[in-house]
Amino acid sequence: MANKAFQSAGKKPGLQVWRVEKMDLSPVPNEFHGNFFTGDSYILVHTSDSKRPSYNIHAWHGNEASADERGCAAIFMTQLDDFMGQSPRQYVEFQNEESKTFMSYFRRGIQYKQGGVKSGFKHATTNESNVKRLLHVKGRRTIRAREVDLTWASFNKGDCFIIDLGKMIYHWSGSQSNRFERLKTTQLANEIRDNERKGRADVELIVEGEEPEEVIQALGPQPELSDAVCDSDASADTANKNKSSLYVISDATGSMTSTVVAAKNPFKQDMLSQKECYILDNGGDKKIFVWKGRDANKDERKAAYAAAEKFIKDKKYARNTQVQIMAAGGETALFKDFFFNWLDKDETTGSGEVYTIGQIAVVKQIPFDSSTLHCNQEMAAQYGMVDNGSGKVEIWRVEKGETVPVNPSTYGQFFGGDCYLLKYTYNTGGRDMHIIYTWQGRKCSKDELAASAFLTVRLDDSLGGAATQVRVTQGQEPPHLVSIFKDKPLVIHLGGTCREHGESKPASTRLFHIRQSFTKATRAVEVLPTASSLNSNDVFVLKASNSLFTWKGKGATPEEMAAAKYVAGLLGGTPSEVQELQEPAAFWDSLGGRKEYQTSLNLQRTIRPPRLFGCSNKIGRLIAEEVLGEFTQLDLLPDDVMILDTWDQIYLWIGKEANECEKAGSAKIADEYVESDPSGRCGLSVSTIKQGAEPPSFTGWFHGWDPKMWDNL
């Protein structure tokens, strides 16, 4: 009999989390997603919001989880996969060793908490003033916060820590810590304040040697602290990290056996038969993949996880070796990387019908369209909409620590240098409900960021403390926020506003970059009015003193053109439509003359999405950490060397603050990256780019590129 928790699995896009408790599954509230007790095991299901949704099932084990809990989680994962028609991908995750797919669900990082079910610890909101704990924060892109003993012995000069004392949350920075790590720690401290304390706590930044009295009382006098400490896994041997072997598995003899198909990668795709199941052994990197052919023996498919466990035991691999299980057609990007020139069956629509849910009621999938969210109930439900987007909207701008009402005629328009509060009221079951969106511009000040958090709590208090709070970063607006403005695109202006002087005076020449995201949300972002800002994939609106143009790139979509018409209306006048390569002289004159710009159409029809990595050789070898999710220009850190991999081209970006060793060895870093690629790519062109001198072929991969972004960091 299926567990009752399975009934809701995969019904709508997003993440669902359960903790294994006394041989059963207990749901974890949304506000505690990303928090894990180290003595427990968890089951997670992630459902994509694509036209044909895909499903990932994860079993996560803490370092102190018991053998019974681990075994129980494995059973639940197998049962859930069977319940969903054996189509989901399955992952076995371990504390500190989580897959990139797992970490991508938690953009702001994860927390490891001491204790577990047996210790009586629960996922519950903590408003108590007597909370005392210490979190050690590690990572600059993939953030992990581990609860450690609240004592000076846990500290060092090179890292950041969160001293959580209930009503006060202190972000402590060591004297040798990195400013970008400090930024991520502040974000995590804010998450604790907003989610665990429901905004009823204060966050204060303190530095080594300047601790307030409350911290001294909790920790005692500060002794001499140790210097920065390298991660133990940072110096591990990676010589065999990307080497793998391929095995076919069979139970024809009555017990599961494995036979070598290919001893080394890259593999050929036709080595995989739909009538068989296979294990791809990447044990050198503590990863095992199980691939299930569409026509393989039913018992072999069902026993995929058991086969992987036996394989790990026979090979004497570490107990925390990751396992990924996938059905044919549902291969992960990491799995495909081990094959030379992997081709998908249906490259335009993805993995096809393999993701259709089996025993769960099938819902007709509808493409996301922001212009019809307010009238299409079925689509709204699929995209996690609380209603049809027609509720009451009120918007305020943050000015000098207070809120100033925004004119309703300008709703949907934001300034990138400001913060806004948006209150959305809708009715359900005869009762008014509220959502508070806190929108934070990319160039807003630190004071405005702090004020927006305080004002959000104050607004929530005025609503009885029951509102849903959603912090939104420019460029990452959720579908429901997009739906509120009906068929209008989100418009982001350069500059900011203030009560004394009003809006920033617009420049005489203005250029708006219009792009539709993969969720069909259309944004118009004002960029520098220069020809190098253009992009063949998109649409632009150019406003000059005596002219107004709509520039249509070769890869433009009808939705982007419709958004351009709206933006042109905001700017005033009737635009002249200009096709790419048919521009009049007046168009180029308004932009200061012709310049190179991004002309590749790969953004529109790429099958393999671009990937961004932060690279370092500070400890004597190459470390590449991938930026998870949809990357932005903010992910380019000036003290790093970054690799942008667009599959056919490699870009090596060198930050101004990268160390001299990295700068001098940048070419070697690129060579090592290509050589370590398990797909066997070779002969790729590598372009080395310096911060501040990025060509259009590079900036075109980033929406709304701002060459002045780093000036104020």
Side-chain angles (χ1 to χ4, degrees):
M1 181 176 179
N3 189 288
K4 61 182 180 181
F6 297 172
Q7 301 300 324
S8 64
K11 287 292 183 65
K12 59 183 180 181
L15 186 65
Q16 296 166 276
V17 184
W18 298 270
R19 182 166 70 158
V20 177
E21 296 184 6
K22 299 178 181 179
M23 305 305 169
D24 201 0
L25 293 176
S26 176
V28 175
N30 289 354
E31 58 265 33
F32 293 102
H33 288 182
N35 292 2
F36 299 93
F37 286 106
T38 59
D40 291 334
S41 292
Y42 294 77
I43 295 293
L44 299 85
V45 173
H46 183 268
T47 305
S48 73
D49 60 359
S50 56
K51 183 177 180 180
R52 289 187 175 131
S54 59
Y55 310 95
N56 294 335
I57 303 174
H58 301 259
W60 184 92
H61 306 299
N63 286 345
E64 285 82 43
S66 68
D68 288 343
E69 287 172 324
R70 290 160 57 99
C72 191
I75 293 172
F76 280 133
M77 183 175 70
T78 301
Q79 290 178 345
L80 181 55
D81 176 61
D82 196 40
F83 183 77
M84 299 178 75
Q86 296 188 359
S87 63
R89 300 163 177 158
Q90 300 173 61
Y91 299 75
V92 181
E93 312 279 2
F94 298 92
Q95 180 182 335
N96 294 313
E97 302 284 348
E98 294 85 358
S99 66
K100 292 176 182 177
T101 301
F102 183 90
M103 294 300 297
S104 70
Y105 308 146
F106 311 104
R107 183 74 176 178
R108 296 186 184 275
I110 60 177
Q111 294 183 48
Y112 301 134
K113 296 184 174 182
Q114 293 178 343
V117 173
K118 292 183 178 180
S119 307
F121 291 95
K122 298 180 179 179
H123 290 282
T125 302
T126 53
N127 289 316
E128 297 87 357
S129 59
N130 61 348
V131 172
K132 289 186 178 181
R133 61 172 177 161
L134 178 64
L135 296 175
H136 185 182
V137 183
K138 294 293 291 182
R140 283 148 45 95
R141 297 178 182 84
T142 304
I143 308 300
R144 292 178 171 89
R146 178 171 58 92
E147 186 173 351
V148 294
D149 293 336
L150 185 60
T151 170
W152 283 118
S154 299
F155 287 76
N156 68 72
K157 296 181 178 180
D159 290 332
C160 295
F161 295 78
I162 293 175
I163 306 169
D164 185 359
L165 301 181
K167 291 185 178 180
M168 284 300 302
I169 301 171
Y170 295 97
H171 163 196
W172 184 95
S173 300
S175 57
Q176 299 172 7
S177 62
N178 179 280
R179 62 180 168 135
F180 296 102
E181 293 172 339
R182 294 196 291 270
L183 174 63
K184 293 294 185 180
T185 303
T186 297
Q187 292 175 349
L188 182 58
N190 290 339
E191 287 285 310
I192 296 172
R193 176 197 62 198
D194 297 341
N195 292 333
E196 295 189 30
R197 305 292 146 73
K198 296 298 184 183
R200 290 159 178 81
D202 292 323
V203 174
E204 182 177 333
L205 176 63
I206 59 177
V207 296
E208 178 187 341
E210 299 181 9
E211 295 79 9
E213 182 61 29
E214 185 179 14
V215 172
I216 298 299
Q217 289 180 359
L219 291 167
Q222 180 183 323
E224 180 65 25
L225 301 179
S226 62
D227 290 334
V229 179
C230 293
D231 291 334
S232 59
D233 59 349
S235 57
D237 176 25
T238 58
N240 296 315
K241 181 175 180 180
N242 291 308
K243 293 183 179 179
S244 62
S245 302
L246 186 65
Y247 296 78
V248 61
I249 55 178
S250 171
D251 65 351
T253 62
S255 61
M256 200 66 69
T257 59
S258 57
T259 305
V260 175
V261 175
K264 59 184 295 187
N265 58 297
F267 309 118
K268 295 180 180 179
Q269 192 173 349
D270 59 11
M271 291 178 176
L272 302 175
S273 167
Q274 294 291 348
K275 296 180 180 180
E276 305 289 353
C277 291
Y278 296 81
I279 286 179
L280 192 157
D281 177 11
N282 185 215
D285 196 27
K286 300 172 72 172
K287 293 182 178 67
I288 296 294
F289 304 85
V290 182
W291 185 88
K292 301 183 294 186
R294 191 174 297 111
D295 304 319
N297 179 291
K298 183 178 180 180
D299 291 336
E300 290 178 356
R301 289 170 57 88
K302 196 169 183 177
Y305 180 62
E309 280 198 316
K310 181 179 184 299
F311 188 88
I312 291 170
K313 185 176 180 180
D314 291 345
K315 290 286 186 178
K316 294 182 172 54
Y317 288 153
R319 190 184 72 161
N320 60 346
T321 298
Q322 291 181 14
V323 177
Q324 296 185 18
I325 303 172
M326 63 210 72
E331 297 83 4
T332 64
L334 187 57
F335 179 83
K336 295 176 186 178
D337 280 348
F338 288 95
F339 291 79
F340 180 76
N341 196 27
W342 179 282
L343 295 176
D344 289 310
K345 179 181 179 182
D346 187 346
E347 295 177 341
T348 59
T349 60
S351 305
E353 299 297 333
V354 69
Y355 294 130
T356 301
I357 303 179
Q359 301 174 32
I360 298 176
V362 176
V363 179
K364 180 183 178 182
Q365 296 299 317
I366 302 174
F368 187 94
D369 184 351
S370 61
S371 67
T372 61
L373 273 170
H374 63 289
C375 63
N376 191 324
Q377 297 279 355
E378 186 177 4
M379 180 176 61
Q382 287 185 23
Y383 284 86
M385 311 291 287
V386 297
D387 72 343
N388 61 11
S390 59
K392 181 181 178 182
V393 183
E394 295 178 81
I395 303 178
W396 299 267
R397 188 175 57 249
V398 176
E399 290 185 9
K400 295 184 177 180
E402 292 295 334
T403 53
V404 178
V406 172
N407 188 327
S409 66
T410 65
Y411 281 5
Q413 299 181 54
F414 300 88
F415 283 82
D418 290 337
C419 291
Y420 296 79
L421 266 62
L422 187 153
K423 183 180 77 172
Y424 183 80
T425 304
Y426 63 102
N427 189 278
T428 179
R431 181 164 72 99
D432 279 348
M433 304 289 286
H434 306 282
I435 301 174
I436 302 173
Y437 290 106
T438 306
W439 189 93
Q440 299 172 338
R442 184 182 293 177
K443 289 202 168 184
C444 64
S445 68
K446 293 181 180 179
D447 289 342
E448 287 173 325
L449 281 174
S452 68
F454 165 76
L455 293 170
T456 298
V457 174
R458 190 175 73 178
L459 180 57
D460 184 27
D461 286 341
S462 72
L463 298 171
T468 299
Q469 299 178 30
V470 183
R471 186 192 298 114
V472 178
T473 303
Q474 178 183 334
Q476 302 292 328
E477 295 81 8
H480 183 258
L481 179 56
V482 176
S483 77
I484 292 172
F485 307 113
K486 308 302 185 285
D487 57 348
K488 300 176 182 177
L490 291 177
V491 180
I492 314 298
H493 299 272
L494 284 176
T497 55
C498 71
R499 189 174 303 168
E500 295 178 1
H501 307 292
E503 297 176 356
S504 300
K505 184 178 180 180
S508 58
T509 302
R510 307 179 70 188
L511 184 65
F512 286 82
H513 182 183
I514 299 170
R515 176 179 289 178
Q516 188 181 58
S517 72
F518 67 90
T519 62
K520 305 300 182 183
T522 305
R523 300 178 180 87
V525 181
E526 187 174 1
V527 295
L528 290 182
T530 174
S532 61
S533 296
L534 298 176
N535 191 313
S536 291
N537 297 275
D538 304 320
V539 175
F540 290 76
V541 175
L542 172 62
K543 170 68 173 177
S545 56
N546 298 313
S547 58
L548 182 63
F549 297 98
T550 297
W551 186 85
K552 183 180 181 182
K554 292 181 179 179
T557 67
E559 293 83 2
E560 290 168 344
M561 288 298 295
K565 183 177 180 181
Y566 172 77
V567 173
L570 294 178
L571 298 175
T574 302
S576 300
E577 183 175 316
V578 175
Q579 299 282 341
E580 184 177 6
L581 300 182
Q582 298 178 20
E583 300 87 355
F587 177 84
W588 295 117
D589 290 343
S590 298
L591 292 175
R594 293 176 181 267
K595 294 179 182 178
E596 290 186 359
Y597 60 87
Q598 169 67 283
T599 57
S600 169
L601 293 180
N602 285 346
L603 292 177
Q604 291 292 333
R605 54 175 182 259
T606 182
I607 298 167
R608 295 177 182 267
R611 302 171 71 184
L612 183 67
F613 299 83
C615 300
S616 172
N617 60 0
K618 292 181 176 68
I619 62 170
R621 68 175 180 86
L622 173 67
I623 300 174
E625 183 180 9
E626 185 167 7
V627 175
L628 304 175
E630 189 173 349
F631 59 77
T632 69
Q633 186 182 354
L634 286 169
D635 292 308
L636 298 174
L637 303 183
D639 67 339
D640 267 352
V641 170
M642 310 288 293
I643 287 178
L644 175 65
D645 182 357
T646 64
W647 189 250
D648 295 321
Q649 171 77 42
I650 301 293
Y651 296 94
L652 189 70
W653 181 90
I654 302 176
K656 290 182 178 180
E657 298 175 21
N659 66 45
E660 292 303 319
C661 180
E662 288 170 337
K663 290 180 180 179
S666 59
K668 184 179 179 182
I669 289 178
D671 289 342
E672 289 181 13
Y673 173 78
V674 175
E675 290 172 3
S676 65
D677 182 7
S679 69
R681 283 182 295 168
C682 59
L684 293 179
S685 173
V686 177
S687 298
T688 300
I689 297 167
K690 305 293 180 60
Q691 179 186 347
E694 296 85 359
S697 56
F698 179 85
T699 61
W701 295 96
F702 300 82
H703 184 207
W705 179 271
D706 180 5
K708 298 182 179 180
M709 187 195 75
W710 292 287
D711 292 353
N712 298 320
L713 287 181

